[in-house]
């Protein structure tokens, strides 16, 4: 019996070796499949990451494109707005040029009117006022003086003349009377009246606008004139003055 068992063992040995080789081959193939699967999954993962990166890049590109489109539209609106503003400014410049051409004759007439007004007004501070008009006439032909500056100077002169009508003023100056000149004290009451008084206080007078000459006043006005001059020089508090005033004529409408 023993030789038979040995024979069976010897017969089954090749089968075992063959099965083992088949098993090892199956294991190798299985490992290869696993490796292929791992490699395939890795490629899938890489492709998935690349897809996500590409999608993210696409979304970023779309966002940038939208932002650039919005920026482009804003810039177009800005350019259009600036073009309108430039056109408006050019129109204003043209208008200013037209206004300046129209202003020059107006300013000339204003200076001429001021000169005529001073000649017809009460004869006070004539040297100062006539010199102011002469400076305006010189500026009128000065090419270095702008229309705006010339107009400002003319308005300033008108303002000064306007202030004379609301103020009380006293000063010492020369009185021209009958080809004679003497130093006296003057008192101006707005534009209503212009008085003078000699330095010794013995003579008083007023400017008669109707006749264009000086007229004498009674000595009874000396105190009132002294008070008026003191008030004008801020040497005395304001108070009522008894001084002659021009008659007010009332025109009756037809």
């Amino acid at each position: 019996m023993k030789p038979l068992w040995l024979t069976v063992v010897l017969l089954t040995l090749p089968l075992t070796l063959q099965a083992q080789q088949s098993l090892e081959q199956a294991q190798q193939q299985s490992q290869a499949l696993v490796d292929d699967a791992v490699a395939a999954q890795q490629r899938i993962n890489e492709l998935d990451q690349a897809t996500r990166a590409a999608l993210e890049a696409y979304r970023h590109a779309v966002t940038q494109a939208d932002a650039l489109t919005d920026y482009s539209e804003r810039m177009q609106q800005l350019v259009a707005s600036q073009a309108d503003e430039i056109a408006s400014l050019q129109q204003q410049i043209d208008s200013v040029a037209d206004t300046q051409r129209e202003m020059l004759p107006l300013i000339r007439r204003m200076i001429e009117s001021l000169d005529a007004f001073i000649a017809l007004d009460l004869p006070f501070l004539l040297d100062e006022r006539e010199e102011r008009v002469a400076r305006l006439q010189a500026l009128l032909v000065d090419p270095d003086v702008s229309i705006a500056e010339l107009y400002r100077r003319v308005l300033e002169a008108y303002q000064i003349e306007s202030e004379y009508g609301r103020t009380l003023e006293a000063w010492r100056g020369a009185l021209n009377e009958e080809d004679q000149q003497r130093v006296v004290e003057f008192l101006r009451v707005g534009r209503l009246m212009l008085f003078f008084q000699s330095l010794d206080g013995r003579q008083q007078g007023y400017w008669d606008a109707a006749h264009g000459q000086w007229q004498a006043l009674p000595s009874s006005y000396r105190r009132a004139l002294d008070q008026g001059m003191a008030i004008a020089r801020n040497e005395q508090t304001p108070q009522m003055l008894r001084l002659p005033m021009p008659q007010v004529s009332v025109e009756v409408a037809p």
Side-chain angles (χ1 to χ4, degrees):
M1 292 299 294
K2 188 172 181 182
L4 179 61
W5 175 82
L6 182 60
T7 303
V8 173
V9 172
L10 291 175
L11 289 173
T12 58
L13 183 59
L15 293 175
T16 303
L17 291 175
Q18 184 177 2
Q20 185 177 359
Q21 290 177 353
S22 297
L23 179 61
E24 291 178 355
Q25 185 177 4
Q27 290 176 346
Q28 291 176 357
Q29 291 177 351
S30 176
Q31 185 62 40
L33 291 174
V34 171
D35 293 339
D36 291 342
V38 171
Q41 184 63 43
Q42 186 175 358
R43 288 194 298 272
I44 291 172
N45 293 338
E46 291 175 354
L47 289 174
D48 185 59
Q49 292 177 357
T51 302
R52 290 180 181 179
L55 180 59
E56 185 65 25
Y58 171 75
R59 289 175 178 174
H60 182 66
V62 169
T63 302
Q64 285 188 330
D66 292 340
L68 289 174
T69 301
D70 182 66
Y71 176 76
S72 177
E73 291 177 354
R74 290 179 180 272
M75 289 301 296
Q76 290 177 359
Q77 294 175 356
L78 178 61
V79 170
S81 176
Q82 290 178 343
D84 293 339
E85 185 175 357
I86 291 173
S88 176
L89 289 175
Q90 185 60 49
Q91 185 177 3
Q92 293 177 26
I93 292 172
D94 296 339
S95 176
V96 168
D98 294 338
T99 302
Q100 288 182 345
R101 285 192 295 269
E102 295 173 358
M103 283 293 295
L104 193 57
L106 172 63
I107 293 174
R108 182 180 290 108
R109 291 194 298 270
M110 291 176 68
I111 296 175
E112 292 173 353
S113 298
L114 184 61
D115 188 25
F117 176 77
I118 292 174
L120 296 173
D121 197 19
L122 298 176
F124 65 91
L125 304 176
L126 284 180
D127 292 341
E128 175 184 328
R129 297 163 73 193
E130 289 175 351
E131 182 182 355
R132 186 179 299 115
V133 173
R135 288 198 300 268
L136 292 176
Q137 291 172 339
L139 293 176
L140 188 62
V141 295
D142 190 343
D144 295 331
V145 178
S146 66
I147 296 295
E149 176 63 16
L150 179 59
Y151 185 64
R152 186 189 69 80
R153 295 286 189 90
V154 172
L155 290 183
E156 185 180 70
Y158 269 80
Q159 180 66 30
I160 293 173
E161 289 292 331
S162 176
E163 289 295 327
Y164 289 144
R166 298 191 293 267
T167 57
L168 189 70
E169 186 178 13
W171 72 96
R172 180 173 295 186
L175 174 66
N176 296 318
E177 188 179 23
E178 297 179 354
D179 299 330
Q180 295 181 357
Q181 188 179 78
R182 55 177 171 154
V183 178
V184 298
E185 298 284 352
F186 289 99
L187 175 65
R188 177 181 57 79
V189 181
R191 276 200 163 82
L192 293 175
M193 291 294 290
L194 179 62
F195 302 95
F196 79 87
Q197 182 167 263
S198 62
L199 297 182
D200 59 8
R202 294 182 179 180
Q203 290 183 327
Q204 295 80 27
Y206 72 97
W207 177 257
D208 185 353
H211 297 87
Q213 61 183 9
W214 293 100
Q215 301 288 354
L217 278 175
S219 59
S220 58
Y221 285 104
R222 175 179 179 177
R223 179 176 176 80
L225 288 174
D226 287 338
Q227 290 178 338
M229 293 177 185
I231 294 172
R233 294 186 174 112
N234 295 321
E235 299 171 354
Q236 183 175 321
T237 57
Q239 58 180 312
M240 294 292 295
L241 298 175
R242 294 184 177 274
L243 292 171
M245 290 288 117
Q247 295 182 354
V248 179
S249 60
V250 179
E251 296 183 0
V252 180

